[in-house]
Amino acid sequence: MNEQTLVIIKPDGVARRLTGRIIQRLEDKGLTITDIKMTTMTAELAKEHYQHLQGRPFFDELIAFMTSGPVVYLIIEGPQAVAVVRRMIGATNSLEAEPGTIRGDFGLSGTQNIIHASDTPENARLELLRFFTQSD
Ligand code: PCG
């Protein structure tokens, strides 16, 4: 059964011109892009998205980073898309992400880790609502 998940190519991924290669990997896997947009995330949305990390020492750095330039939002659809895309992006810390994953192949940083993908189907539903509203 098809499932939807949210992917965000973060400001470092966009600035480093990795958007095309990331989309290529997702499509090569057989996943479908059903919506896409580029915009700079507001601080309000970034704080809401990362509310579970409020109080962590890297929170302010994370919000500053996520609002520092345009991001690309993708709705990705396919069988077990949430788990499949999470495996494709690799561990949060790019230094620990396995080669062959997006973070493992393209990154060296903890906070600036190129890409976000929803971690559970429930969070995917919330994040899709947060970033793709009917007014867009
Ligand atoms: P993401 O989008 O998967 O979700 C939380 C983000 O917080 C994560 O990517 C990283 O960008 C950042 N993050 C999570 N843990 C740490 C950490 O221990 N240190 C730093 N600097 N950033 C982190």
Side-chain angles (χ1 to χ4, degrees):
M1 198 183 76
N2 268 1
E3 193 174 75
Q4 284 191 329
T5 191
L6 177 81
V7 163
I8 306 173
I9 304 175
K10 297 186 180 188
D12 60 327
V14 174
R16 291 178 51 204
R17 296 167 161 73
L18 294 173
T19 301
R21 276 189 277 173
I22 291 170
I23 287 174
Q24 188 71 65
R25 283 184 180 223
L26 295 167
E27 291 196 325
D28 282 350
K29 179 71 178 166
L31 296 160
T32 302
I33 297 168
T34 59
D35 207 346
I36 182 169
K37 68 178 179 182
M38 180 185 254
T39 179
T40 300
M41 198 182 287
T42 63
E44 189 186 356
L45 272 181
K47 286 177 185 166
E48 188 186 314
H49 180 60
Y50 288 123
Q51 57 195 286
H52 58 291
L53 297 174
Q54 200 148 18
R56 301 288 280 274
F58 56 86
F59 184 75
D60 290 348
E61 180 193 349
L62 177 60
I63 301 305
F65 163 58
M66 288 301 293
T67 57
S68 65
V71 299
V72 173
Y73 297 94
L74 298 156
I75 301 181
I76 301 294
E77 202 170 297
Q80 296 182 48
V82 173
V84 167
V85 174
R86 287 289 289 193
R87 278 201 297 278
M88 289 178 73
I89 75 175
T92 301
N93 185 340
S94 302
L95 289 173
E96 290 163 10
E98 291 292 327
T101 64
I102 291 169
R103 287 168 175 163
D105 287 351
F106 296 131
L108 277 173
S109 163
T111 299
Q112 302 201 8
N113 59 359
I114 304 164
I115 187 164
H116 165 84
S118 310
D119 59 352
T120 63
E122 176 57 18
N123 278 339
R125 273 188 289 278
L126 292 172
E127 292 177 2
L128 289 165
L129 275 174
R130 178 174 301 137
F131 293 113
F132 283 88
T133 61
Q134 285 173 349
S135 61
D136 285 337

